[in-house]
Amino acid sequence: MEPTTAAIIGSACLSFAVSYLVIPYFIRYMHATGIVGRDIMKPGKPVVADMGGPGVVTGFLFGAFFYLALTILFPPRASGMIYILAALCTILIITLIGIFDTLTALMKQREGSEGFEQYKKVGIPGWMYFFLPLPAAVPLVAVNAGVSHIALPFMGRVE
């Protein structure tokens, strides 16, 4: 097996294992802190953790850092390190947006309807879901990752 393939498989396995072990702790923590909601798609509408992203991202980070460590220890694979670091920045920014959205949605549930509490927002407004991820793309744009052209109907290829 090629070393790069082995490193990717090892990173994926580590990422899965860490996620599998960490997510139950995050679920218990979310229940203990009251960051929960009702799963309206299941019978009985059970209470479930409202924020699962941090547990998944923790597993992902362990796998990515393991791959980066192998990249540093065995230099022939070091060519894609800048793209991995840019992707990590983007993923962490998107995770922060998700955490912010969940916590601001919970603000309305915890406060009463008297005084200034009635003016608090419930989550991020729908129109902002388009604009908030744009700054997260900046690290990928900065390293010129991906394809720089797009094929549009009736216009052809556009840079």
Side-chain angles (χ1 to χ4, degrees), residues 37-48:
R38 295 233 174 244
D39 187 351
I40 61 171
M41 301 305 284
K42 290 185 182 164
K45 298 179 181 159
V47 175
V48 295

Side-chain angles (χ1 to χ4, degrees), residues 48-157:
V48 295
D50 209 6
M51 190 177 2
V56 175
V57 169
T58 301
F60 175 77
L61 287 175
F62 269 85
F65 288 152
F66 178 73
Y67 184 79
L68 286 174
L70 292 178
T71 301
I72 291 168
L73 292 174
F74 304 105
R77 285 185 298 237
S79 62
M81 187 182 299
I82 191 76
Y83 298 115
I84 294 171
L85 294 173
L88 284 174
C89 289
T90 297
I91 290 166
L92 291 174
I93 292 169
I94 294 293
T95 302
L96 285 175
I97 292 170
I99 290 170
F100 178 73
D101 179 40
T102 301
L103 294 179
T104 55
L106 291 173
M107 284 173 46
K108 185 71 170 183
Q109 295 174 6
R110 293 182 179 220
E111 300 294 335
S113 59
E114 302 168 7
F116 290 107
E117 286 83 10
Q118 64 184 335
Y119 299 110
K120 288 187 177 179
K121 296 178 183 174
V122 179
I124 297 173
W127 61 271
M128 285 185 73
Y129 281 107
F130 175 74
F131 294 108
L132 279 177
L134 290 178
V138 170
L140 295 174
V141 171
V143 298
N144 200 15
V147 180
S148 64
H149 63 276
I150 185 170
L152 297 173
F154 307 113
M155 295 184 70
R157 184 176 166 169

